[in-house]
PDB file of all heavy atoms in Angstrom:
ATOM      1  N   MET T   1       0.832  -1.187  -0.004  1.00  0.00           N
ATOM      2  CA  MET T   1      -0.002  -0.028  -0.006  1.00  0.00           C
ATOM      3  C   MET T   1       0.887   1.276  -0.007  1.00  0.00           C
ATOM      4  O   MET T   1       1.795   1.367   0.823  1.00  0.00           O
ATOM      5  CB  MET T   1      -0.900  -0.003   1.218  1.00  0.00           C
ATOM      6  CG  MET T   1      -1.843   1.141   1.269  1.00  0.00           C
ATOM      7  SD  MET T   1      -3.044   0.841   2.648  1.00  0.00           S
ATOM      8  CE  MET T   1      -3.284   2.460   3.174  1.00  0.00           C
ATOM      9  N   ALA T   2       0.638   2.154  -0.922  1.00  0.00           N
ATOM     10  CA  ALA T   2       1.419   3.371  -1.056  1.00  0.00           C
ATOM     11  C   ALA T   2       1.125   4.346   0.060  1.00  0.00           C
ATOM     12  O   ALA T   2      -0.061   4.499   0.509  1.00  0.00           O
ATOM     13  CB  ALA T   2       1.132   4.026  -2.406  1.00  0.00           C
ATOM     14  N   LEU T   3       2.151   5.015   0.505  1.00  0.00           N
ATOM     15  CA  LEU T   3       1.991   6.041   1.514  1.00  0.00           C
ATOM     16  C   LEU T   3       1.505   7.334   0.882  1.00  0.00           C
ATOM     17  O   LEU T   3       1.802   7.606  -0.266  1.00  0.00           O
ATOM     18  CB  LEU T   3       3.285   6.309   2.244  1.00  0.00           C
ATOM     19  CG  LEU T   3       3.843   5.172   3.067  1.00  0.00           C
ATOM     20  CD1 LEU T   3       5.226   5.507   3.536  1.00  0.00           C
ATOM     21  CD2 LEU T   3       2.934   4.940   4.252  1.00  0.00           C
ATOM     22  N   PRO T   4       0.723   8.126   1.620  1.00  0.00           N
ATOM     23  CA  PRO T   4       0.218   9.405   0.982  1.00  0.00           C
ATOM     24  C   PRO T   4       1.389  10.439   0.784  1.00  0.00           C
ATOM     25  O   PRO T   4       2.415  10.341   1.538  1.00  0.00           O
ATOM     26  CB  PRO T   4      -0.757   9.932   2.051  1.00  0.00           C
ATOM     27  CG  PRO T   4      -0.322   9.286   3.325  1.00  0.00           C
ATOM     28  CD  PRO T   4       0.252   7.939   2.959  1.00  0.00           C
ATOM     29  N   ASP T   5       1.226  11.244  -0.140  1.00  0.00           N
ATOM     30  CA  ASP T   5       2.194  12.299  -0.412  1.00  0.00           C
ATOM     31  C   ASP T   5       2.164  13.286   0.800  1.00  0.00           C
ATOM     32  O   ASP T   5       1.199  13.356   1.485  1.00  0.00           O
ATOM     33  CB  ASP T   5       1.864  13.075  -1.696  1.00  0.00           C
ATOM     34  CG  ASP T   5       2.129  12.258  -2.947  1.00  0.00           C
ATOM     35  OD1 ASP T   5       2.764  11.146  -2.851  1.00  0.00           O
ATOM     36  OD2 ASP T   5       1.698  12.657  -4.041  1.00  0.00           O
ATOM     37  N   LEU T   6       3.276  13.929   0.944  1.00  0.00           N
ATOM     38  CA  LEU T   6       3.428  14.941   2.031  1.00  0.00           C
ATOM     39  C   LEU T   6       3.385  16.352   1.424  1.00  0.00           C
ATOM     40  O   LEU T   6       3.869  16.556   0.354  1.00  0.00           O
ATOM     41  CB  LEU T   6       4.786  14.782   2.779  1.00  0.00           C
ATOM     42  CG  LEU T   6       5.090  13.387   3.349  1.00  0.00           C
ATOM     43  CD1 LEU T   6       6.486  13.359   3.934  1.00  0.00           C
ATOM     44  CD2 LEU T   6       4.052  13.100   4.401  1.00  0.00           C
ATOM     45  N   THR T   7       2.794  17.286   2.169  1.00  0.00           N
ATOM     46  CA  THR T   7       2.796  18.668   1.768  1.00  0.00           C
ATOM     47  C   THR T   7       3.504  19.490   2.833  1.00  0.00           C
ATOM     48  O   THR T   7       3.202  19.320   4.023  1.00  0.00           O
ATOM     49  CB  THR T   7       1.333  19.180   1.584  1.00  0.00           C
ATOM     50  OG1 THR T   7       0.705  18.449   0.577  1.00  0.00           O
ATOM     51  CG2 THR T   7       1.345  20.679   1.140  1.00  0.00           C
ATOM     52  N   LEU T   8       4.382  20.360   2.369  1.00  0.00           N
ATOM     53  CA  LEU T   8       5.190  21.206   3.279  1.00  0.00           C
ATOM     54  C   LEU T   8       4.954  22.651   2.827  1.00  0.00           C
ATOM     55  O   LEU T   8       5.339  23.006   1.748  1.00  0.00           O
ATOM     56  CB  LEU T   8       6.690  20.823   3.210  1.00  0.00           C
ATOM     57  CG  LEU T   8       7.619  21.614   4.006  1.00  0.00           C
ATOM     58  CD1 LEU T   8       7.363  21.439   5.536  1.00  0.00           C
ATOM     59  CD2 LEU T   8       9.068  21.208   3.674  1.00  0.00           C
ATOM     60  N   ASP T   9       4.292  23.443   3.661  1.00  0.00           N
ATOM     61  CA  ASP T   9       4.025  24.855   3.345  1.00  0.00           C
ATOM     62  C   ASP T   9       5.056  25.722   4.062  1.00  0.00           C
ATOM     63  O   ASP T   9       4.986  25.858   5.267  1.00  0.00           O
ATOM     64  CB  ASP T   9       2.613  25.180   3.761  1.00  0.00           C
ATOM     65  CG  ASP T   9       2.203  26.566   3.269  1.00  0.00           C
ATOM     66  OD1 ASP T   9       3.047  27.352   2.783  1.00  0.00           O
ATOM     67  OD2 ASP T   9       0.953  26.812   3.316  1.00  0.00           O
ATOM     68  N   VAL T  10       5.971  26.263   3.298  1.00  0.00           N
ATOM     69  CA  VAL T  10       7.062  27.107   3.880  1.00  0.00           C
ATOM     70  C   VAL T  10       6.916  28.535   3.400  1.00  0.00           C
ATOM     71  O   VAL T  10       7.899  29.341   3.481  1.00  0.00           O
ATOM     72  CB  VAL T  10       8.433  26.519   3.597  1.00  0.00           C
ATOM     73  CG1 VAL T  10       8.591  25.203   4.389  1.00  0.00           C
ATOM     74  CG2 VAL T  10       8.688  26.330   2.164  1.00  0.00           C
ATOM     75  N   ARG T  11       5.776  28.902   2.836  1.00  0.00           N
ATOM     76  CA  ARG T  11       5.573  30.254   2.338  1.00  0.00           C
ATOM     77  C   ARG T  11       5.719  31.186   3.504  1.00  0.00           C
ATOM     78  O   ARG T  11       5.371  30.920   4.636  1.00  0.00           O
ATOM     79  CB  ARG T  11       4.178  30.427   1.749  1.00  0.00           C
ATOM     80  CG  ARG T  11       4.021  29.629   0.452  1.00  0.00           C
ATOM     81  CD  ARG T  11       2.623  29.747  -0.117  1.00  0.00           C
ATOM     82  NE  ARG T  11       1.785  28.802   0.694  1.00  0.00           N
ATOM     83  CZ  ARG T  11       0.536  28.576   0.408  1.00  0.00           C
ATOM     84  NH1 ARG T  11      -0.047  29.130  -0.651  1.00  0.00           N
ATOM     85  NH2 ARG T  11      -0.174  27.714   1.118  1.00  0.00           N
ATOM     86  N   SER T  12       6.381  32.347   3.171  1.00  0.00           N
ATOM     87  CA  SER T  12       6.584  33.435   4.158  1.00  0.00           C
ATOM     88  C   SER T  12       7.661  33.212   5.207  1.00  0.00           C
ATOM     89  O   SER T  12       7.884  34.039   6.059  1.00  0.00           O
ATOM     90  CB  SER T  12       5.266  33.884   4.833  1.00  0.00           C
ATOM     91  OG  SER T  12       4.316  34.240   3.908  1.00  0.00           O
TER      92      SER T  12
END
Side-chain angles (χ1 to χ4, degrees):
M1 185 170 144
L3 293 172
D5 289 348
L6 304 175
T7 299
L8 177 65
D9 189 346
V10 294
R11 292 176 282 188
S12 301

